[in-house]
Each structure stands twice: as C-alpha cells, then as structure tokens.
Amino acid sequence: MSSKPKMDDHLRERIISQPDVILEDQDLMHALIAANERAMGGNIVDLRGIAMDRLEARLDRLEDTHRSVIAAAYDNLAGTNQVHRAILRMLDPTEFEAFLYNLGGEVADILRVDSVRLILESVQDDADPAVQRLGDVLTVSEPGFVARYIENGRGGDRQVTLRQLSKGAPTLHGDAAAHIHSEACLRLDFGNGRLPGMLVLGAEDPHQFTPQQGTDLLTFFAGVFERTMRRWLS
C-alpha cells in the first residue's frame, strides 16, 4: 500500500491534456526540478540538470542582450529624429542674424543643450557692432584658436570631439560656464581661402557628451551647418 498522496484525477487529466501549461511556467518547472534533485539524494550528480542550469543562464544573458540591442536601436532612432528636426529648424531663417538667434534658441532646445556658441577665426577683432549684438552666440577669435581648443595639445583632426568637463570655458559658455559639464566641439570647414570655425554645444549633464559615444549624427549636423554657413559667408 503506497503512502504517497494520490493526485486529484481532474488535475491529472488536465496536466496530461495540456502539458505545455507546466512547461511554460518557469516557477513550476523550478519546483519540479528541485523536487527531483531531492528525490535523487545528495550522492548523485544530475548532469542533465547542470546542463539545463547552464542553458537557462545562457538564455537569460541572451534575453538581456536582446533588450539592450532594442533599447540602443530606439535611442539611435530618437537621436536621428532629434538631429533631423534641429536641421530643419536651422534652415528656416532667411537672414543671418535670425539664423544665429535661432541657433541659440529653438535649435538648442531641440538638441537639449544648455549652451551653443559659434566661433569664427578672423584676423580682425570682434569690435564690429554686428558681432557685439550676437555676442551670446557668436565669438570671433584669432587664427589657430579652434585647433588649440579642440586638440588641447594632443593633435588630431577629428571633425567632432566629445568630452566631459569639470566646468566650461567662460570665454565660450559665458554665464553658463560653471554649469557646463560636457560639450561637443564641431570643427567647421568654410572652404578654400577661409579660416576654420567651430560650433560648441554645451550641456549641464556630464553624460550627454562623452568620448565613448558615436559621432555620426553630429558629423552629419556639422556638415549641414558648415554648408549653410558657406552660403551666408559668400
């Protein structure tokens, strides 16, 4: 006479007719595996159980990777849409001053940056009244300033440089400099016979621009911006 409790007939028939209900329930499967290990005792090594544990751990890692890839794809799509909207808004003004004001206003808001500064190298000073009026966005500097600021003695000719800061440079970011903790420096080529320029995007978030990030979208943005500037400079 067996001392084991007898399973309810209705439950037994349901399990037989729908075995997938058990197989798809992780908690239930874990309980059955644990019960099986207890029934075998401590002196028996269940190689199949070990293999299953390893497969389950590998599946968990694959699922985590899958979620990370999907999240990265969504972030990339959102970033692409953001840059496209900023470019379209940047191209709206029909006058240069409005173009620069728009750059420091709605374009900056779309890009979610806290400071935008355009630096133009020139052999002349910045005493021009037009430059004074646009001082919140436009800065005129001496030849060679762009390379020194971007390269910081390390050399290189990358178009886009991303970096984290303890604080921004007051000469560029003005009153917001103390709160700027990351920036994107976009080197600008205005064509043969013209000195280079630079567009600096500053953010309070230290993680908004970091050297580990990709620069494809900002490189595209810089390309559109410098071509637009060539039109104004001509």
Side-chain angles (χ1 to χ4, degrees), residues 4-53:
K4 295 182 180 179
K6 185 179 179 181
M7 180 182 294
D8 179 75
D9 290 339
H10 177 71
L11 177 59
R12 184 173 182 274
E13 290 176 2
R14 185 177 179 185
I15 292 174
I16 292 173
S17 62
Q18 295 178 306
D20 290 346
V21 173
I22 294 180
L23 296 175
E24 293 175 0
D25 191 317
Q26 289 190 358
D27 293 335
L28 187 54
M29 288 300 298
H30 286 159
L32 292 174
I33 292 172
N36 183 58
E37 291 176 352
R38 289 194 300 270
M40 290 189 301
N43 295 327
I44 299 175
V45 177
D46 184 7
L47 295 179
R48 186 176 62 177
I50 294 174
M52 290 296 293
D53 289 341

Side-chain angles (χ1 to χ4, degrees), residues 22-162:
I22 294 180
L23 296 175
E24 293 175 0
D25 191 317
Q26 289 190 358
D27 293 335
L28 187 54
M29 288 300 298
H30 286 159
L32 292 174
I33 292 172
N36 183 58
E37 291 176 352
R38 289 194 300 270
M40 290 189 301
N43 295 327
I44 299 175
V45 177
D46 184 7
L47 295 179
R48 186 176 62 177
I50 294 174
M52 290 296 293
D53 289 341
R54 291 179 178 176
L55 286 174
E56 185 177 348
R58 183 177 299 177
L59 178 60
D60 289 341
R61 290 195 299 270
L62 288 173
E63 289 179 345
D64 290 341
T65 301
H66 181 64
R67 283 192 290 268
S68 298
V69 169
I70 292 177
Y74 275 116
D75 287 343
N76 186 62
L77 180 60
T80 300
N81 292 335
Q82 184 182 40
V83 169
H84 286 175
R85 287 190 295 112
I87 288 173
L88 291 175
R89 186 65 188 92
M90 181 178 67
L91 297 176
D92 282 343
T94 57
E95 297 181 357
F96 185 60
E97 289 193 21
F99 170 76
L100 290 184
Y101 280 126
N102 180 56
L103 183 66
E106 292 188 45
V107 174
D109 292 340
I110 293 172
L111 293 175
R112 297 179 183 175
V113 294
D114 303 290
S115 172
V116 176
R117 185 61 60 98
L118 172 64
I119 296 88
L120 300 179
E121 291 188 1
S122 174
V123 295
Q124 302 175 355
D125 57 31
D126 59 355
D128 188 295
V131 175
Q132 297 291 337
R133 288 197 304 272
L134 299 168
D136 291 340
V137 180
L138 176 63
T139 296
V140 176
S141 63
E142 73 281 1
F145 174 82
V146 170
R148 289 197 305 272
Y149 187 81
I150 293 178
E151 298 167 13
N152 197 23
R154 291 190 291 269
D157 58 355
R158 290 177 299 176
Q159 185 171 18
V160 177
T161 298
L162 308 180

